[in-house]
Amino acid sequence: MSTTVPASGRVLVVEDDRQLSAMLAELLGDAGYGVDVAGDGQRGLHLGLTRTYDVLLLDRGLPAIDGLDVLGRLRAQGVTTPALVLSALSNPVDRVEGLDAGAEDYLGKPFDVDELLARLRALRRRAGAVVGGTEQVRFGGGAFDVAARRVRFDDGRAPVDLSDREAALVELLARHPHQVFGRDAVRDRVFPEATDDGVVDTYVHYLRRKLGRRAVTTVRGVGYRWGEP
Ligand code: CA
């Protein structure tokens, strides 16, 4: 079975070795990913908490805050983005520590670039639960079929079809169910041409009308996060 998923999406690379991070940025960029690079754990933590990524690529040995600590702090804040840890420490004990810290995968240095890319694709497949070419984002009580722009419910409710923009909003929120998005962050991602944040409130209103009041949760003074439709 062919399991190729087009490489798209954003990757956060946290790596203090400049030569390696430049190589990774070029490699991932060539593979079709959008890439942000952080040169230390502090910066990586900041980006991981304030921006949305599809995959995290974390070096373990970083000055100040090491890679596993960055990951632990992101997980503690509800960031569920799949993470691959890169490390020169690659004994079984080291791998177990990495996986216990919340990494989905662990790759020893030096690594083969094709293997790295394949592992990133695998992480994205698992995260998106790609089934037979149809990507589904699972959530408590149902799933969102990305290509068909259709929300299905496990309780037998009729599926709901969404417009392009409604679908983009559901995809953003449902993929990161524990993350709160400010209205400006939602606007940047889903309505980049809009001139004010009111469009975000309007579309949240549409989604609630179609999917139920609880589909989107308002976090007062901060923004919105996914609910349980
Ligand atoms: Ca390092």
Side-chain angles (χ1 to χ4, degrees):
M1 178 183 136
S2 166
T3 51
T4 306
V5 171
S8 61
R10 293 204 66 78
V11 183
L12 172 62
V13 174
V14 187
E15 169 61 73
D16 61 320
D17 177 333
R18 285 185 180 207
Q19 223 174 336
L20 182 55
S21 68
M23 186 278 271
L24 287 169
E26 190 180 341
L27 175 75
L28 295 169
D30 286 348
Y33 293 99
V35 185
D36 283 347
V37 175
D40 60 62
Q42 195 78 48
R43 177 80 184 143
L45 188 60
H46 175 72
L47 288 176
L49 288 173
T50 55
R51 298 190 189 173
T52 304
Y53 296 97
D54 298 287
V55 186
L56 308 174
L57 188 54
L58 295 166
D59 178 32
R60 181 167 177 174
L62 295 168
I65 313 178
D66 85 11
L68 296 190
D69 202 6
V70 170
L71 184 58
R73 294 194 202 186
L74 290 173
R75 292 291 185 251
Q77 294 295 317
V79 176
T80 57
T81 312
L84 188 155
V85 170
L86 283 175
S87 178
L89 304 173
S90 58
N91 289 321
V93 169
D94 301 314
R95 289 169 183 269
V96 167
E97 280 177 2
L99 298 173
D100 280 348
E104 276 68 26
D105 200 0
Y106 196 100
L107 187 59
K109 290 180 181 175
F111 55 86
D112 177 85
V113 293
D114 289 328
E115 182 179 4
L116 174 68
L117 291 173
R119 284 175 181 245
L120 291 178
R121 287 195 297 272
L123 279 182
R124 296 211 58 209
R125 273 201 303 278
R126 267 181 270 156
V130 174
V131 181
T134 307
E135 192 180 357
Q136 299 218 325
V137 181
R138 288 288 317 172
F139 54 82
F144 173 57
D145 180 334
V146 176
R149 303 197 307 260
R150 182 170 298 149
V151 175
R152 300 171 195 281
F153 301 98
D154 296 338
D155 63 6
R157 264 183 283 171
V160 175
D161 291 322
L162 302 177
S163 70
D164 273 352
R165 295 310 182 86
E166 291 165 348
L169 182 53
V170 166
E171 190 177 354
L172 174 68
L173 297 177
R175 272 193 198 283
H176 309 93
H178 303 292
Q179 199 165 330
V180 180
F181 291 93
R183 294 154 87 233
D184 54 342
V186 175
R187 191 185 75 181
D188 282 353
R189 285 156 203 278
V190 182
F191 312 97
E193 76 295 340
T195 49
D196 77 89
D197 295 342
V199 65
V200 176
D201 305 324
T202 301
Y203 273 81
V204 166
H205 171 75
Y206 291 158
L207 283 185
R208 285 175 173 155
R209 212 167 51 187
K210 283 190 165 181
L211 302 175
R213 291 284 317 155
R214 295 165 61 205
V216 181
T217 303
T218 301
V219 180
R220 201 168 287 280
V222 187
Y224 295 110
R225 72 172 165 74
W226 187 238
E228 290 287 305

